[in-house]
């Protein structure tokens, strides 16, 4: 079976981040092609491509673009490179190894949507990636690709700026991102209005994930239909799946959107470390409901994972082997959401800390069965009652771990301690050291 | 709470450092529309932290003044984001990820090791002002876990030995 690579095909080539290398491989050819066409044709191709957002929600990209009001100017593009969902580590590779692909995607998107200023919002911890991207943007300016004339040809001014965050997961949420970009703390806004209508500085703004935008040059070069054909149903193309945890070859794998999850883990990522048994998998970043070992023989396509009771989300697959205490794992996830809640809504602010506390109690054997019930109740009271989706993101793991692995919680309660004891994270040092990185560029 | 009106006058800050700040800020402001200067709050505070060491009330006030916004806004931002220090940190900041993928590959053990070795609790600094140790949330290094940041430089695929080497090398 021949596999088409769109996003990762140039990774690992020497100097792949440079303009010269990108050009030598045909880079900016799609932009060149588009200069001769009607901007609306790009939007049509993206619609035809069935590209769905790679940032988590899987919303149809072409459709989102059509939500821009017809005659309000200026309008902005904001590329989401916040990449802070635990288990997600793919966008940074695009930026590190092929930043010009992203820049060409931004240029095409801006041209298609009549946008003249774009910001890439990148998490503050990605200092190296921000430098690489800034350097690539400067190269593109120096070469006249950006600036007053797009690709030096078209009278279409365009500039791109990198805006670094400073450590806050919530700024990946699109409206919090805009607040942060405006120079404020990252408090999500009530929606509607959606950013496409009222966005950055109150102006229409398209927000897309890095990986989403990086697909646009290929779509323009090869046609939307070809991209759609790589996928299945209403979901086109390939995706970057990040596999982490207890597999022999953790790393980023580019596969068709509907690739099989079991195959990804057992074959591509080399199966479970030390020949141990698989216990559980989170298929789409820490907020996605957990799957038990017997539930992973599924397609990773957004709707298919949803049908299986979880979410393909950001494509971050986290693998737990049998040595892991799932109460401990969930307690750690709950701590994350408690730390990262912006504190605006009471159910989220109070509920996430409450859940963290109960889980700590269960893990250390200080809880009763009533606490386990309480945990379920608290999660239920957060879900659907908050301004942004962080509340749901915090509740879903708790609800799903309880649904699938409740006996393990009750065993903690009965034994008054963690049955796994000290070793509850599995993987001793020597087997950890034996791990080989799969996609180490 | 400190009253921003009574402490942290910009005049307290060393003049040449303020000039340095102003020169660099001018470049940063080019990235935002002229009537949207306040958008530069995060980069301005990062710059302030670089130049002055940490975000004292005076540095926050400086950023606010230059961006044409209120000191309260600067304080709000300085305290919201974890990469900002409103108290002086040690010379080096070591931040270990203990989120799920890192813990599955030894992150918690690394953090415990460093706590013991440096005799610090989370967030504390060594008495000689050499290292501030912090536990942080996911660094986006899940595939190359476990990971830590040292002064904003990422170190990945850590082992205890590697950590000892890196931390031992900090002066
Ligand atoms: C709490 C929270 C955190 C998020 N973090 C990210 C992120 O780090 N990167 C990202 O692209 N999208 C993130 N999203 C989703 C964005 O809000 C938005 O849907 C996405 O960037 C849109 O891009 P897409 O349509 O290309 O997927 C997050 C959402 C929530 C609720
Ligand atoms: S749900 Fe949580 S993170 Fe989102 S706005 Fe409310 S308090 Fe903030």
């Amino acid at each position: 079976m021949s596999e088409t690579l769109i996003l990762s095909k140039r990774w690992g080539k020497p100097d792949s981040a440079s303009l010269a290398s990108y050009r030598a491989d045909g880079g900016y050819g799609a932009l060149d092609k588009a200069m001769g066409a009607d901007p609306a044709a790009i939007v049509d191709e993206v619609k035809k491509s069935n590209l769905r957002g790679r940032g988590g929600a899987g919303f149809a990209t072409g459709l989102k673009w059509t939500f821009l009001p017809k005659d309000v100017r200026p309008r902005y593009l904001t590329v989401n490179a916040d990449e802070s969902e635990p288990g997600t580590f793919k966008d940074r590779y695009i930026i590190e190894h092929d930043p010009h692909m992203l820049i060409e995607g931004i240029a095409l998107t801006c041209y298609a949507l009549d946008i003249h200023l774009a910001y890439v919002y990148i998490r503050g911890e990605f200092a190296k990636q921000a430098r690489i991207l800034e350097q690539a943007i400067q190269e593109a300016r120096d070469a006249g690709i950006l600036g007053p004339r797009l690709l030096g040809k078209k009278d279409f001014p365009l500039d791109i700026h990198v805006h670094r965050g400073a450590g806050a997961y919530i700024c990946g949420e699109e409206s919090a991102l805009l607040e942060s970009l405006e120079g404020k703390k990252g408090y999500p806004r009530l929606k509607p209005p959606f950013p496409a209508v009222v966005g950055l500085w109150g102006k229409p703004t398209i927000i897309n994930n890095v990986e989403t935008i990086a697909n646009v040059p290929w779509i323009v070069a090869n046609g939307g239909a070809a991209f759609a054909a790589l996928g299945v149903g209403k979901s086109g193309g390939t995706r970057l799946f990040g596999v982490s945890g207890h597999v022999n070859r953790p790393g980023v794998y580019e596969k068709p959107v509907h690739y099989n999850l079991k195959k990804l883990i057992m074959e591509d990522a080399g199966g479970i470390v030390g020949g141990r048994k698989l216990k559980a998998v989170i298929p789409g970043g820490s907020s996605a409901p957990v799957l038990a070992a017997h539930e992973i023989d599924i397609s990773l396509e957004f709707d298919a994972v949803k049908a299986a009771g979880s979410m393909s989300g950001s494509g971050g697959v986290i693998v737990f082997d049998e040595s892991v205490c799932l109460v401990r794992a969930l307690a750690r996830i709950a701590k994350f959401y408690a730390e990262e809640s912006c504190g605006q809504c009471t159910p989220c602010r109070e509920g996430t800390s409450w859940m963290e506390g109960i889980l700590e109690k269960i893990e250390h054997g200080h809880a009763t069965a009533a606490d386990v019930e309480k945990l379920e109740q608290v999660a239920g009271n957060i879900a659907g009652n908050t301004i942004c989706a962080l509340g749901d993101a915090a509740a879903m793991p708790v609800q799903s771990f309880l649904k699938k692995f409740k006996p393990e919680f009750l065993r903690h309660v009965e034994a008054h301690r963690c049955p796994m004891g000290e070793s509850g994270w599995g993987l001793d040092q020597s087997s950890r050291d034996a791990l080989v990185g799969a996609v180490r560029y | 709470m400190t009253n921003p009106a009574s402490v942290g006058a910009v005049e307290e800050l060393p003049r040449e450092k303020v000039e340095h700040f102003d020169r660099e800020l001018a470049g940063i402001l080019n990235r935002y529309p002229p009537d949207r200067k306040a958008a530069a709050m995060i980069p301005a505070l990062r710059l302030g932290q670089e130049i002055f060491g940490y975000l004292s009330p005076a540095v926050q006030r400086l950023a606010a003044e230059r961006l044409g916004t209120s000191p309260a806004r600067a304080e709000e931002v300085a305290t919201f984001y974890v990469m900002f220090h409103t108290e002086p940190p040690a010379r080096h900041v070591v931040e270990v990820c203990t989120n799920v993928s890192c813990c599955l590959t030894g992150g918690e053990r690394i953090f415990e090791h460093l706590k013991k070795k440096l005799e610090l609790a989370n967030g504390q600094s060594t008495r000689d002002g050499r290292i501030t140790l912090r536990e942080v949330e996911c660094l986006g290094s899940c595939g190359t876990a476990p990971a830590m940041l040292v002064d904003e430089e990422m170190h990945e695929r850590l082992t205890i030995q590697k950590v000892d080497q890196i931390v031992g090398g900090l002066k």
Side-chain angles (χ1 to χ4, degrees):
Chain A
M1 200 176 78
S2 76
E3 281 190 353
T4 305
L5 296 182
I6 295 174
L7 300 150
S8 63
K9 63 175 183 290
R10 302 183 62 255
W11 298 4
K13 283 194 175 192
D15 210 22
S16 65
S18 76
L19 177 58
S21 151
Y22 188 62
R23 278 220 147 117
D25 288 330
Y28 291 107
L31 187 59
D32 193 46
K33 178 180 166 188
M35 297 289 80
D38 178 7
I42 301 176
V43 180
D44 281 341
E45 290 305 320
V46 170
K47 275 195 208 152
K48 257 189 252 165
S49 76
N50 291 337
L51 171 62
R52 294 176 64 170
R54 306 304 196 223
F59 194 83
T61 306
L63 182 61
K64 186 192 271 188
W65 289 3
T66 61
F67 294 160
L68 283 171
K70 289 273 164 300
D71 31 52
V72 187
R73 299 290 187 284
R75 28 167 81 169
Y76 300 102
L77 173 67
T78 308
V79 178
N80 194 339
D82 197 59
E83 186 138 275
S84 304
E85 171 99 351
T88 312
F89 52 99
K90 59 186 181 72
D91 296 334
R92 56 175 285 190
Y93 287 100
I94 295 176
I95 293 170
E96 282 170 39
H97 301 290
D98 213 345
H100 282 286
M101 180 188 271
L102 176 61
I103 296 169
E104 187 176 10
I106 293 172
L108 283 163
T109 305
C110 288
Y111 181 63
L113 302 175
D114 193 24
I115 292 171
H116 299 273
L117 185 55
Y119 290 96
V120 180
Y121 187 100
I122 187 166
R123 63 178 298 181
E125 292 87 345
F126 283 175
K128 175 178 137 194
Q129 290 78 4
R131 258 193 321 269
I132 292 172
L133 186 55
E134 266 167 357
Q135 205 178 335
I137 291 170
Q138 193 54 46
E139 261 187 314
R141 284 193 198 112
D142 294 344
I145 295 166
L146 302 175
R149 294 171 62 80
L150 200 50
L151 210 55
K153 290 186 171 172
K154 198 93 178 177
D155 205 5
F156 187 98
L158 175 64
D159 209 351
I160 305 173
H161 295 292
V162 177
H163 184 98
R164 285 181 66 194
Y169 164 69
I170 192 58
C171 292
E173 194 280 333
E174 55 186 14
S175 64
L177 184 153
L178 294 175
E179 288 286 303
S180 182
L181 185 45
E182 290 181 2
K184 305 176 211 157
K185 59 186 174 187
Y187 267 8
R189 300 173 182 171
L190 265 176
K191 291 187 274 192
F194 290 94
V197 180
V198 181
L200 186 60
W201 300 308
K203 296 295 180 186
T205 302
I206 291 296
I207 301 171
N208 276 128
N209 171 262
V210 167
E211 184 185 343
T212 310
I213 295 294
N215 277 303
V216 176
W218 196 94
I219 292 169
V220 171
N222 299 277
F227 190 86
L230 294 173
V232 64
K234 278 279 149 204
S235 223
T238 61
R239 280 189 82 180
L240 298 176
F241 294 104
V243 188
S244 66
H246 291 161
V247 289
N248 283 309
R249 286 193 300 271
V252 174
Y253 296 88
E254 180 171 359
K255 298 287 170 192
V257 279
H258 55 297
Y259 200 69
N260 182 277
L261 174 59
K262 186 172 183 178
K263 196 162 174 222
L264 179 70
I265 294 171
M266 295 305 180
E267 294 176 24
D268 299 280
I272 309 306
V273 173
R276 283 199 285 260
K277 273 213 270 271
L278 176 69
K279 186 167 184 179
V281 175
I282 297 178
S286 63
S287 58
V290 67
L291 298 171
H294 67 274
E295 297 175 304
I296 68 163
D297 194 3
I298 55 168
S299 154
L300 277 161
E301 191 280 321
F302 294 100
D303 296 330
V305 182
K306 197 167 169 198
S310 186
M311 266 167 43
S312 179
S314 58
V317 176
I318 310 173
V319 179
F320 303 94
D321 78 19
E322 59 186 336
S323 68
V324 179
C325 167
L326 290 178
V327 177
R328 184 175 300 189
L330 180 61
R332 186 61 188 86
I333 292 172
K335 174 170 185 278
F336 173 76
Y337 290 100
E339 293 282 330
E340 300 297 334
S341 166
C342 83
Q344 249 191 128
C345 329
T346 313
C348 173
R349 183 186 61 239
E350 306 295 327
T352 50
S353 298
W354 201 354
M355 293 196 301
E356 181 195 358
I358 298 176
L359 279 160
E360 282 293 321
K361 228 165 107 180
I362 299 174
E363 167 65 2
H364 294 115
H366 307 313
T368 63
D371 289 315
V372 179
E373 299 309 313
K374 178 61 85 186
L375 181 62
E376 219 155 13
Q377 222 177 4
V378 176
N381 284 332
I382 301 174
N385 290 321
T386 55
I387 292 177
C388 89
L390 185 136
D392 296 330
M396 282 186 297
V398 173
Q399 290 169 322
S400 68
F401 273 72
L402 280 173
K403 185 166 154 207
K404 307 242 162 108
F405 298 99
K406 199 162 191 177
E408 191 161 336
F409 289 72
L410 296 175
R411 272 202 297 278
H412 280 72
V413 168
E414 283 152 19
H416 300 292
R417 64 181 179 84
C418 172
M420 304 266 186
E422 280 304 303
S423 63
W425 281 116
L427 209 59
D428 52 73
Q429 191 64 34
S430 59
S431 22
R432 205 225 74 79
D433 292 349
L435 282 186
V436 286
V439 200
R440 266 202 284 168
Y441 297 101
Chain B
M1 279 281 287
T2 48
N3 175 1
S6 62
V7 282
V10 171
E11 292 70 39
E12 286 172 12
L13 298 168
R15 204 193 159 92
E16 50 317 338
K17 286 194 176 182
V18 173
E19 282 166 6
H20 181 186
F21 179 89
D22 285 339
R23 270 194 314 275
E24 298 280 321
L25 186 64
I28 290 172
L29 285 174
N30 289 334
R31 300 181 215 152
Y32 306 94
D35 57 337
R36 304 291 184 187
K37 280 203 288 198
M41 184 56 86
I42 291 178
L45 290 175
R46 174 174 289 110
L47 179 64
Q49 185 160 292
E50 260 167 43
I51 294 177
F52 298 96
Y54 76 106
L55 297 176
S56 66
V59 178
Q60 294 172 27
R61 183 171 283 267
L62 172 68
E65 265 181 21
R66 298 302 193 260
L67 301 181
T69 181
S70 69
R73 168 68 65 78
E75 186 190 20
E76 201 172 272
V77 173
T79 51
F80 186 81
Y81 297 91
V82 299
M83 291 176 76
F84 288 140
H85 304 285
T86 50
E87 297 290 334
R91 289 194 295 286
H92 304 285
V93 182
V94 174
E95 300 178 297
V96 183
C97 174
T98 58
N99 212 301
V100 182
S101 301
C102 275
C103 273
L104 290 173
T105 48
E108 198 169 71
R109 249 164 282 167
I110 286 171
F111 186 58
E112 292 304 321
H113 170 76
L114 280 176
K115 281 205 294 196
K116 222 180 274 161
K117 188 181 164 115
L118 300 169
E119 298 179 5
L120 296 176
N122 182 23
Q124 289 183 337
S125 305
T126 53
R127 241 174 289 152
D128 58 2
R130 196 168 67 96
I131 291 171
T132 300
L133 179 67
R134 295 215 295 205
E135 177 181 22
V136 288
E137 294 302 339
C138 185
L139 291 172
S141 295
C142 319
T144 37
M148 67 178 184
L149 273 182
V150 178
D151 303 331
E152 298 198 15
E153 190 190 335
M154 196 85 81
H155 297 271
E156 298 169 276
R157 310 187 66 81
L158 296 173
T159 58
I160 299 278
Q161 295 87 308
K162 229 164 134 179
V163 166
D164 281 343
Q165 217 172 32
I166 295 163
V167 172
L170 299 173
K171 291 289 162 261

